[in-house]
mmCIF file of all heavy atoms in Angstrom:
data_model
loop_
_atom_site.group_PDB
_atom_site.id
_atom_site.type_symbol
_atom_site.label_atom_id
_atom_site.label_comp_id
_atom_site.label_asym_id
_atom_site.label_seq_id
_atom_site.Cartn_x
_atom_site.Cartn_y
_atom_site.Cartn_z
ATOM 1 N N CYS A 670 77.856 12.095 -49.838
ATOM 2 C CA CYS A 670 76.689 11.214 -49.888
ATOM 3 C C CYS A 670 76.950 9.920 -49.110
ATOM 4 O O CYS A 670 76.067 9.404 -48.419
ATOM 5 C CB CYS A 670 76.339 10.908 -51.338
ATOM 6 S SG CYS A 670 74.786 10.013 -51.547
ATOM 7 N N LEU A 671 78.177 9.386 -49.206
ATOM 8 C CA LEU A 671 78.523 8.171 -48.454
ATOM 9 C C LEU A 671 78.468 8.419 -46.951
ATOM 10 O O LEU A 671 78.026 7.556 -46.183
ATOM 11 C CB LEU A 671 79.925 7.705 -48.856
ATOM 12 C CG LEU A 671 80.037 7.005 -50.217
ATOM 13 C CD1 LEU A 671 81.497 6.796 -50.588
ATOM 14 C CD2 LEU A 671 79.285 5.676 -50.195
ATOM 15 N N ARG A 672 78.918 9.578 -46.526
ATOM 16 C CA ARG A 672 78.833 9.914 -45.097
ATOM 17 C C ARG A 672 77.381 9.953 -44.633
ATOM 18 O O ARG A 672 77.038 9.490 -43.538
ATOM 19 C CB ARG A 672 79.499 11.265 -44.848
ATOM 20 C CG ARG A 672 81.019 11.220 -44.927
ATOM 21 C CD ARG A 672 81.607 12.607 -45.132
ATOM 22 N NE ARG A 672 81.164 13.546 -44.111
ATOM 23 C CZ ARG A 672 81.073 14.857 -44.297
ATOM 24 N NH1 ARG A 672 81.354 15.386 -45.499
ATOM 25 N NH2 ARG A 672 80.683 15.640 -43.323
ATOM 26 N N ILE A 673 76.513 10.514 -45.475
ATOM 27 C CA ILE A 673 75.089 10.571 -45.120
ATOM 28 C C ILE A 673 74.516 9.160 -45.008
ATOM 29 O O ILE A 673 73.770 8.844 -44.078
ATOM 30 C CB ILE A 673 74.322 11.402 -46.161
ATOM 31 C CG1 ILE A 673 74.744 12.871 -46.070
ATOM 32 C CG2 ILE A 673 72.812 11.279 -45.953
ATOM 33 C CD1 ILE A 673 74.193 13.742 -47.176
ATOM 34 N N LEU A 674 74.873 8.303 -45.947
ATOM 35 C CA LEU A 674 74.390 6.927 -45.902
ATOM 36 C C LEU A 674 74.908 6.201 -44.664
ATOM 37 O O LEU A 674 74.182 5.432 -44.018
ATOM 38 C CB LEU A 674 74.813 6.174 -47.161
ATOM 39 C CG LEU A 674 74.046 6.535 -48.441
ATOM 40 C CD1 LEU A 674 74.736 5.918 -49.655
ATOM 41 C CD2 LEU A 674 72.607 6.055 -48.345
ATOM 42 N N MET A 675 76.154 6.451 -44.309
ATOM 43 C CA MET A 675 76.746 5.800 -43.138
ATOM 44 C C MET A 675 75.987 6.166 -41.864
ATOM 45 O O MET A 675 75.738 5.313 -41.019
ATOM 46 C CB MET A 675 78.212 6.211 -43.005
ATOM 47 C CG MET A 675 79.114 5.681 -44.099
ATOM 48 S SD MET A 675 79.754 4.036 -43.770
ATOM 49 C CE MET A 675 81.038 4.396 -42.590
ATOM 50 N N ILE A 676 75.615 7.431 -41.740
ATOM 51 C CA ILE A 676 74.976 7.880 -40.495
ATOM 52 C C ILE A 676 73.474 7.643 -40.507
ATOM 53 O O ILE A 676 72.859 7.445 -39.461
ATOM 54 C CB ILE A 676 75.297 9.375 -40.221
ATOM 55 C CG1 ILE A 676 75.025 9.734 -38.748
ATOM 56 C CG2 ILE A 676 74.504 10.276 -41.148
ATOM 57 C CD1 ILE A 676 75.959 9.092 -37.781
ATOM 58 N N LYS A 677 72.873 7.633 -41.705
ATOM 59 C CA LYS A 677 71.417 7.489 -41.796
ATOM 60 C C LYS A 677 70.960 6.032 -41.853
ATOM 61 O O LYS A 677 69.978 5.656 -41.219
ATOM 62 C CB LYS A 677 70.897 8.236 -43.031
ATOM 63 C CG LYS A 677 70.962 9.749 -42.924
ATOM 64 C CD LYS A 677 69.871 10.318 -42.041
ATOM 65 C CE LYS A 677 68.529 10.272 -42.712
ATOM 66 N NZ LYS A 677 67.474 10.936 -41.931
ATOM 67 N N VAL A 678 71.634 5.209 -42.658
ATOM 68 C CA VAL A 678 71.176 3.825 -42.819
ATOM 69 C C VAL A 678 72.136 2.812 -42.224
ATOM 70 O O VAL A 678 71.805 1.633 -42.100
ATOM 71 C CB VAL A 678 70.939 3.490 -44.314
ATOM 72 C CG1 VAL A 678 69.960 4.456 -44.927
ATOM 73 C CG2 VAL A 678 72.245 3.495 -45.096
ATOM 74 N N GLY A 679 73.357 3.234 -41.863
ATOM 75 C CA GLY A 679 74.307 2.332 -41.246
ATOM 76 C C GLY A 679 75.324 1.780 -42.229
ATOM 77 O O GLY A 679 75.037 1.594 -43.420
ATOM 78 N N PRO A 680 76.533 1.484 -41.737
ATOM 79 C CA PRO A 680 77.603 0.989 -42.609
ATOM 80 C C PRO A 680 77.272 -0.329 -43.290
ATOM 81 O O PRO A 680 77.775 -0.604 -44.388
ATOM 82 C CB PRO A 680 78.786 0.833 -41.644
ATOM 83 C CG PRO A 680 78.461 1.694 -40.466
ATOM 84 C CD PRO A 680 76.973 1.683 -40.352
ATOM 85 N N ALA A 681 76.441 -1.153 -42.659
ATOM 86 C CA ALA A 681 76.141 -2.459 -43.243
ATOM 87 C C ALA A 681 75.509 -2.328 -44.622
ATOM 88 O O ALA A 681 75.716 -3.169 -45.495
ATOM 89 C CB ALA A 681 75.222 -3.245 -42.306
#
Side-chain angles (χ1 to χ4, degrees):
C670 188
L671 284 171
R672 287 161 55 207
I673 292 172
L674 286 169
M675 292 274 283
I676 198 68
K677 289 284 286 186
V678 304

